Amino acid sequence: MWKSQAVVEEGKHHLANLRIGTVWKESMPSEDGMGPGFKSKEREIQRSIQSEEEHTKVNFMSRLRSSSVEIREKGSEILREELLKAQKELQLKDEECERLSKVRDQLERELEELTASLFEEAHKMVREANTKQALSEKQLKEAHGKIDMLQAEVTALKTLVITSTPSSPNRELHPQLQSPSKVVFKKGHSRNKSTSSAIVTPAPPAPQVQPVSKESKEVDPVLFEEFQQWKEEPTLDKTCPFLERIYREDVWPCLSFAKRELAQSVQDAVENNTLSIEPAAAQTLPLVKVSAIECGGPKKCALTGLSKACKHRIKLGDTGNYYYISPSCRARITAVCNFFTYIRYIQQGLVRQEVEQMYWEIMRLRKEIATAKLGLYTDDT
C-alpha cells in the first residue's frame, strides 16, 4: 500500500514538471520575434516534452497496474488468512457443540435412570406398606376374634357361677353331685364331707403309643408343571389349569352341602374373602346386632340341615345374616379358606420360599381339604 502511494506521488511530480514546461512554452516570445533556428529548436523541445510525457504516462500506468496487482494479492492473502481463522473458530465451535450435545444426552440418560429408580423405590415402599397394612389388619382381626371368644367364655363362666346356688347347685361345677353312672369307682375310697360316699373323679386315659411311621412323598410332574406355569403369572382365575383342577377335585366337593343355595353363597364369600366365622357364644355380647337374622340354631346346622351341636356361626359379607354351622362344616370351610389365603399370599409376593416348598405346602393344604371333606377333623374349640 505504501508503494502505491509512492507511485501516485511520483506521478504528481511528473505532472507538475509538465505543467512547468507548458508554462515555459507559453512564456516564450512569439514567432514574429524569432528566427527559423529558434523554431526548429522549439519543435525539438516540444517533441522531447511530448515523448517524455508519454514515457511518464506509460511508466505511471505500468506502476499503477503493478501496484494494483500487488494490492489485490495482499488483499486476497489477508482475506485468505481471515477465512482460515474463521474456519478454525467454526471448527472449535462445532467441537464444543458436539461436546455439549454429548453432555446433554448423558444428563438425560441419568435423569431417566434416576426417575425409573425413584418410581421403583416408591412402588416398593407402597407394596411394603400394603403388606404391613394387610398383616396388621389380619392380626387386628384375629385379636378381635380372640377378645370376643374370651369375653364369651367369661360371660359363660359368670352365667354358670351365678346359676349355681346352695339350693340349686350346678352339677357341672360340682361333679360329686352327678349320678353314679357318670363316675368311676376304683379300689379304695375317700370320704366326702357332704355325701360321705366313696367316689372319685375319673382318671385320665393312658396315652396310646402310636406306631412311628415315616411318610414318603414324590412330586407329581403334571401337577408340578401346572403349578410352575401358574407361579409365573399368579392369578385367582378359576379357568387356569392349576386352579381348575383344584376347584374340580377339592374345593367344589368340599363346599358341596345339602343346602345348595347357601353352599354357593358360602363358596362365593370364600373366593371373595368376605366370609367370617365366630363362636356361637358371641351372640350374648352387646356388640352383636339384635336385628341380625340367625339361620339354623345351636342344635341345627344351616348347611346340612341336620341336628348338630353348632359351636360356630358364619356371616357372608356385610349382611346381617348369621348361619349356625356344625364343627364338620366349620372344618371344611376353614380348610378351603386356608388354601385361598395361601395362594393370595403367593399372588401378592408375600411368600419367600422356593417353588418346591410352595408346591408341597399347597399339597398339604389340599390334604387338609380332602380330610375335612371326608368328615375327619380335630375339634379344638
Side-chain angles (χ1 to χ4, degrees):
M1 185 172 182
W2 293 104
K3 188 175 181 180
S4 62
Q5 188 175 3
V7 172
V8 173
E9 292 294 334
E10 187 178 355
K12 289 181 179 180
H13 180 68
H14 283 291
L15 290 176
N17 291 334
L18 290 175
R19 290 193 189 94
I20 293 171
T22 305
V23 172
W24 176 79
K25 182 181 177 181
E26 290 177 355
S27 61
M28 290 292 289
S30 61
E31 296 179 357
D32 295 337
M34 299 294 177
F38 182 78
K39 291 181 180 180
S40 62
K41 190 175 183 178
E42 181 183 2
R43 283 194 294 272
E44 290 177 2
I45 292 171
Q46 289 179 357
R47 283 195 297 271
S48 63
I49 290 172
Q50 289 178 357
S51 62
E52 187 177 357
E53 288 179 356
E54 291 176 358
H55 181 68
T56 303
K57 288 181 180 180
V58 170
N59 290 335
F60 176 73
M61 293 301 294
S62 63
R63 291 181 180 179
L64 188 60
R65 288 191 189 95
S66 62
S67 62
S68 63
V69 171
E70 188 177 357
I71 291 171
R72 191 179 298 109
E73 290 178 355
K74 286 285 185 181
S76 61
E77 185 177 357
I78 293 172
L79 291 175
R80 193 178 297 108
E81 291 178 356
E82 291 181 355
L83 179 61
L84 291 176
K85 185 179 179 181
Q87 287 178 350
K88 290 182 180 179
E89 292 179 355
L90 184 61
Q91 185 178 3
L92 292 176
K93 289 184 178 179
D94 290 340
E95 293 177 355
E96 184 68 16
C97 290
E98 186 177 359
R99 186 182 67 82
L100 293 176
S101 178
K102 290 181 179 179
V103 172
R104 182 193 62 185
D105 295 340
Q106 183 178 0
L107 289 176
E108 289 180 352
R109 287 195 298 270
E110 292 178 356
L111 182 61
E112 290 178 357
E113 293 176 358
L114 180 60
T115 305
S117 62
L118 288 176
F119 273 106
E120 185 178 358
E121 188 68 22
H123 286 304
K124 182 179 179 182
M125 294 174 64
V126 170
R127 286 196 298 270
E128 291 178 355
N130 291 335
T131 303
K132 292 180 180 178
Q133 182 180 0
L135 182 60
S136 300
E137 291 178 354
K138 180 183 176 182
Q139 293 176 351
L140 180 62
K141 188 174 182 181
E142 292 177 353
H144 282 309
K146 292 180 180 179
I147 292 173
D148 293 342
M149 187 181 300
L150 292 175
Q151 289 180 349
E153 292 178 358
V154 170
T155 304
L157 290 175
K158 288 182 178 179
T159 304
L160 292 176
V161 171
I162 291 174
T163 55
S164 178
T165 60
S167 59
S168 178
N170 194 325
R171 295 183 179 273
E172 293 182 0
L173 296 179
H174 303 279
Q176 66 274 15
L177 299 181
Q178 297 179 359
S179 60
S181 61
K182 295 184 180 180
V183 297
V184 179
F185 289 90
K186 67 178 182 178
K187 292 182 179 180
H189 64 277
S190 61
R191 294 187 60 84
N192 189 286
K193 294 182 180 179
S194 60
T195 59
S196 66
S197 61
I199 57 176
V200 294
T201 57
Q208 298 179 357
V209 179
Q210 299 292 337
V212 179
S213 61
K214 185 177 181 181
E215 183 180 6
S216 301
K217 56 185 179 180
E218 182 179 354
V219 176
D220 188 322
V222 177
L223 298 179
F224 189 68
E225 184 179 359
E226 291 177 355
F227 172 71
Q228 283 182 319
Q229 293 177 356
W230 176 83
K231 179 64 175 59
E232 293 178 357
E233 294 182 2
T235 178
L236 296 180
D237 186 7
K238 64 180 69 175
T239 60
C240 68
F242 171 67
L243 290 182
E244 193 274 334
R245 176 189 295 272
I246 296 178
Y247 267 94
R248 184 181 67 253
E249 297 179 357
D250 300 321
V251 175
W252 287 332
C254 187
L255 297 182
S256 177
F257 299 102
K259 306 295 182 180
R260 297 184 180 275
E261 184 176 356
L262 181 58
Q264 184 62 42
S265 300
V266 169
Q267 179 180 332
D268 296 338
V270 171
E271 293 175 356
N272 299 325
N273 198 19
T274 58
L275 183 142
S276 60
I277 303 177
E278 62 182 28
Q283 61 179 324
T284 59
L285 298 176
L287 297 176
V288 179
K289 296 182 180 179
V290 179
S291 60
I293 302 175
E294 298 180 352
C295 300
K299 295 184 179 181
K300 184 178 182 180
C301 179
L303 287 171
T304 60
L306 301 177
S307 297
K308 297 288 183 181
C310 301
K311 300 179 181 180
H312 293 82
R313 61 182 185 176
I314 59 174
K315 181 181 178 183
L316 308 179
D318 296 332
T319 61
N321 299 340
Y322 290 91
Y323 302 92
Y324 285 90
I325 57 175
S326 63
S328 176
C329 294
R330 173 182 176 270
R332 294 165 68 174
I333 295 173
T334 303
V336 177
C337 288
N338 292 338
F339 168 76
F340 276 102
T341 301
Y342 187 69
I343 63 172
R344 286 193 189 97
Y345 286 166
I346 296 177
Q347 183 191 25
Q348 296 170 4
L350 303 179
V351 181
R352 306 296 183 184
Q353 292 180 338
E354 298 294 334
V355 178
E356 188 171 353
Q357 293 178 346
M358 296 182 188
Y359 170 80
W360 283 118
E361 179 63 20
I362 289 177
M363 294 301 105
R364 186 188 67 80
L365 294 173
R366 292 187 64 183
K367 180 180 178 182
E368 290 184 358
I369 294 175
T371 304
K373 177 180 62 177
L374 295 175
L376 304 174
Y377 63 94
T378 302
D379 191 2
D380 54 354
T381 57

